[in-house]
Amino acid sequence: KQEVTQIPAALSVPEGENLVLNCSFTDSAIYNLQWFRQDPGKGLTSLLLIQSSQREQTSGRLNASLDKSSGRSTLYIAASQPGDSATYLCAVNRNSGYALNFGKGTSLLVTP
Amino acid sequence: GAVVSQHPSRVICKSGTSVKIECRSLDFQATTMFWYRQFPKKSLMLMATSNEGSKATYEQGVEKDKFLINHASLTLSTLTVTSAHPEDSSFYICSAGLAGVVRETQYFGPGTRLLVL
């Protein structure tokens, strides 16, 4: 059974800092991995999707890496802003057409 | 991009009543929709996989008679919480994938907050 773990559970940083969120998964046989953002009481916003054959994806100040063999992914946020404050969820997909396995998320607070 | 809506966004009901939540893909057809539940400060847990025109597949521990899922068309799936109890209070989120395409991602609805008194 796939287990997805995210570390840290919570993180508080001052504005402008670069930060890294970690995600690990127990079964390396994945189809893809996604990072989502969830604001309080809201749904999910997809940030980055990495296919199993890829090593990283970038979008603006966000960079996600994937090391499938070791079961790890990181989300790097550069020059953090207060608007980045949210919960960040990592999810893996074992195959196309299957549901996602989510981690518990990292709650990020960026202080002005 | 693909848009998924959910209705209602928030519902409060009395214990023992039934509540129906709709999940619609607005600009694409979805052969498969997924229903997730999220408890406070917890992750999303898959409840069931809904395929258009067939019975839903429920995850272990999810009561199919309590959480009725109907996927009658390629754009609509419904989740009915029957005889709701306070412990059913949660955030319910659906997701949908593109029909006829090797799906690389799922599109999530905005979620429905259910509070059972």
Side-chain angles (χ1 to χ4, degrees), chain A residues 1 31-32 34 36 38 40-44 46 49 51 89-90 93 95-105, chain B residues 10 32 34 36 38 41-46 48-49 59 91 93 95 101-106 108-111 113:
Chain A
K1 184 176 182 291
Y31 183 71
N32 60 41
Q34 275 186 271
F36 293 88
Q38 184 176 30
K42 303 294 184 182
L44 305 180
S46 180
L49 181 148
Q51 300 290 357
L89 295 166
C90 166
N93 191 341
N95 206 340
S96 173
Y98 284 83
L100 302 180
N101 283 96
F102 284 86
K104 291 184 178 180
Chain B
R10 182 186 299 264
T32 304
F34 302 95
Y36 297 84
Q38 185 179 34
K41 299 189 184 301
K42 300 291 185 183
S43 187
L44 278 76
M45 299 298 295
L46 178 68
T49 301
E59 294 299 298
F91 193 54
I93 304 179
S95 71
V101 176
V102 174
R103 185 169 61 250
E104 296 188 341
T105 187
Q106 298 170 22
F108 283 81
R113 174 87 48 198

Side-chain angles (χ1 to χ4, degrees), chain A residues 37-95:
Chain A
R37 169 184 172 138
Q38 184 176 30
D39 291 287
K42 303 294 184 182
L44 305 180
T45 299
S46 180
L47 298 173
L48 290 165
L49 181 148
I50 311 177
Q51 300 290 357
S52 62
S53 59
Q54 298 175 324
R55 299 282 293 185
E56 66 177 343
Q57 284 287 331
T58 298
S59 175
R61 294 183 293 109
L62 306 179
N63 175 277
S65 68
L66 173 64
D67 184 343
K68 200 175 81 159
S69 61
S70 67
R72 296 178 188 275
S73 175
T74 61
L75 178 67
Y76 175 82
I77 302 177
S80 59
Q81 303 171 357
D84 295 331
S85 299
T87 296
Y88 291 80
L89 295 166
C90 166
V92 297
N93 191 341
R94 63 173 169 160
N95 206 340

Side-chain angles (χ1 to χ4, degrees), chain B residues 3 22 24 78 85 90:
Chain B
V3 177
E22 293 185 346
R24 292 182 185 273
T78 60
H85 291 285
S90 187

